[in-house]
């Protein structure tokens, strides 16, 4: 399975009562499609999956599946604290017709590298579902190290890794060490152009929620071979990307959607609202993107 283009790591819209707002969701997805995204990644960390019940997650997955058109890749976030939970979530996504799942380290547990190898192999054996690995050590507390990747690289069902460590050295290592075995997927948004230079043909992108036109344009510009223009576009995006990465990532994504005219509500507790100063900083950085 070839991964290509910008696939938004979708936020989950909530209404004033904290319930999933499917009307706002449809408007949001429609606008992202118009901007040129190539697929959908619901129920990841940007989607606040860990704050939702299994029933709510299934509702989101089914809604996105029903919205998707032929040719748009579907990758479901099916993470859980336990291997059994991941298997159960993955089997439900598989039954809905998802193409692959996005799996990070099981949260809260901080497993060893050997335990991670066994975890992913058990999920593969139980589901036979293509997996995009997700390495985000700042959030999960554990990196998917070379030991894990070496053990999994020759399994054709391990199709890629969303690398969100923020380390360009890691990206280069993955691109060279696992060439033609594991696809490098951009997941460090403020160095996305560097990932592209090292072979990342796809970008599972949280910021696409609020800057889809710009990030899709950057992807197209790079693929057209205009590196000077791509560098200029990345420079325009960089400040807002960097502010996103500094803290309150999901809250800023949702505020960015509001700035774009497609409000998606607030985050669920314990995530709190942005301060006026945080809003002002992000709003200023978003201005050139809003006028893209």
């Amino acid at each position: 399975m070839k991964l290509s283009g910008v696939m938004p790591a979708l936020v989950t819209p909530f209404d004033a009562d904290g319930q999933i707002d499917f009307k706002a969701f449809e408007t949001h997805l429609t606008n992202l499609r118009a901007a040129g995204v190539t697929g959908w990644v619901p129920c990841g960390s940007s989607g606040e999956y860990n704050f939702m019940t299994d029933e709510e997650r299934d509702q989101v997955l089914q809604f996105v599946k029903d919205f998707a058109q032929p040719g748009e890749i579907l990758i479901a976030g099916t993470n859980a604290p336990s291997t059994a939970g991941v298997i159960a979530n993955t089997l439900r996504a598989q039954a809905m017709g998802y193409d692959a799942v996005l799996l990070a380290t099981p949260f809260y547990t901080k497993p060893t590298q050997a335990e991670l190898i066994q975890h992913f192999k058990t999920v593969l054996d139980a589901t036979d579902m293509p997996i995009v690995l997700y390495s985000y050590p700042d959030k999960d507390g554990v990196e998917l190290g070379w030991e894990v990747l070496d053990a999994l690289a020759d399994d054709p069902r391990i199709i890629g890794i969303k690398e969100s460590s923020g380390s360009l050295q890691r990206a280069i290592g993955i691109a060279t060490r696992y060439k033609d075995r594991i696809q490098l997927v951009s997941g460090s948004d403020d160095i996305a152009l560097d990932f592209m230079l090292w072979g990342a043909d796809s970008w599972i992108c949280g910021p696409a929620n609020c800057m889809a036109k710009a990030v899709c344009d950057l992807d197209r510009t790079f693929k057209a071979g205009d590196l000077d223009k791509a560098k200029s576009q990345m420079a325009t995006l960089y400040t807002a990307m960097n502010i996103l990465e500094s803290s309150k990532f999901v809250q800023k994504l949702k505020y960015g959607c509001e700035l774009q005219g497609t409000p998606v509500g607030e985050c669920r507790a314990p995530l709190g609202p942005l301060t006026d100063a945080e809003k002002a900083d992000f709003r200023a950085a978003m201005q050139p993107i809003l006028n893209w």
Side-chain angles (χ1 to χ4, degrees):
M1 185 187 303
K2 177 63 176 174
L3 303 175
S4 183
V6 175
M7 296 171 282
L10 292 165
V11 297
T12 303
F14 298 121
D15 63 21
D17 295 322
Q19 302 303 305
I20 299 170
D21 188 339
F22 288 105
K23 183 177 180 180
F25 214 162
E26 183 175 11
T27 300
H28 183 52
L29 296 179
T30 299
N31 289 342
L32 294 179
R33 176 181 283 154
V37 302
T38 59
W40 311 104
V41 188
C43 292
S45 54
S46 297
E48 301 175 70
Y49 76 91
N50 49 321
F51 302 151
M52 291 193 286
T53 65
D54 286 347
E55 181 181 4
E56 287 177 319
R57 289 173 66 167
D58 286 353
Q59 289 173 352
V60 168
L61 292 180
Q62 190 64 58
F63 181 82
V64 175
K65 171 64 172 66
D66 291 343
F67 181 87
Q69 295 177 348
E72 294 175 344
I73 194 164
L74 285 161
I75 302 175
T78 58
N79 219 39
S82 69
T83 301
V86 171
I87 290 170
N89 292 344
T90 299
L91 288 172
R92 293 198 305 276
Q94 189 174 37
M96 291 180 199
Y98 273 75
D99 300 303
V101 295
L102 179 69
L103 289 182
T105 300
F107 57 85
Y108 188 72
T109 52
K110 292 189 178 181
T112 66
Q113 297 295 290
E115 287 168 340
L116 281 172
I117 293 168
Q118 186 58 50
H119 166 72
F120 289 118
K121 286 187 173 182
T122 301
V123 174
L124 286 165
D125 289 344
T127 67
D128 196 31
M129 186 69 161
I131 293 174
V132 178
L133 300 170
Y134 184 10
S135 184
Y136 195 178
D138 281 354
K139 177 167 285 189
D140 297 326
V142 177
E143 186 170 70
L144 300 185
W146 304 125
E147 180 182 346
V148 173
L149 299 184
D150 285 348
L152 300 174
D154 290 324
D155 192 316
R157 297 168 296 177
I158 300 293
I159 58 174
I161 178 168
K162 178 185 178 184
E163 179 57 39
S164 296
S165 65
S167 168
L168 183 57
Q169 290 92 335
R170 271 272 299 185
I172 295 170
I174 291 167
T176 54
R177 188 174 181 132
Y178 306 110
K179 182 177 173 59
D180 299 325
R181 292 191 290 167
I182 300 178
Q183 297 171 65
L184 175 64
V185 179
S186 182
S188 298
D189 303 304
D190 53 357
I191 53 172
L193 181 58
D194 301 272
F195 272 66
M196 294 176 190
L197 287 164
W198 282 97
D201 197 44
S202 61
W203 186 359
I204 296 179
C205 180
N209 286 282
C210 61
M211 49 187 86
K213 183 178 179 181
V215 296
C216 288
D217 199 16
L218 171 61
D219 180 69
R220 289 189 292 263
T221 298
F222 177 79
K223 287 173 178 171
D226 191 343
L227 185 56
D228 286 340
K229 184 178 179 181
K231 287 169 66 177
S232 176
Q233 290 173 333
M234 188 70 233
T236 301
L237 287 162
Y238 179 77
T239 300
M241 295 284 197
N242 200 245
I243 291 173
L244 274 172
E245 295 288 354
S246 66
S247 66
K248 297 187 178 180
F249 184 82
V250 183
Q251 295 99 313
K252 289 171 184 172
L253 290 184
K254 287 193 162 184
Y255 179 57
C257 292
E258 180 183 332
L259 294 173
Q260 289 283 15
T262 54
V264 292
E266 299 289 342
C267 295
R268 283 183 170 174
L271 298 184
L274 299 176
T275 66
D276 289 344
E278 289 166 337
K279 286 184 176 181
D281 285 347
F282 191 54
R283 184 169 59 248
M286 281 286 291
Q287 286 308 308
I289 299 166
L290 296 173
N291 298 323
W292 198 274

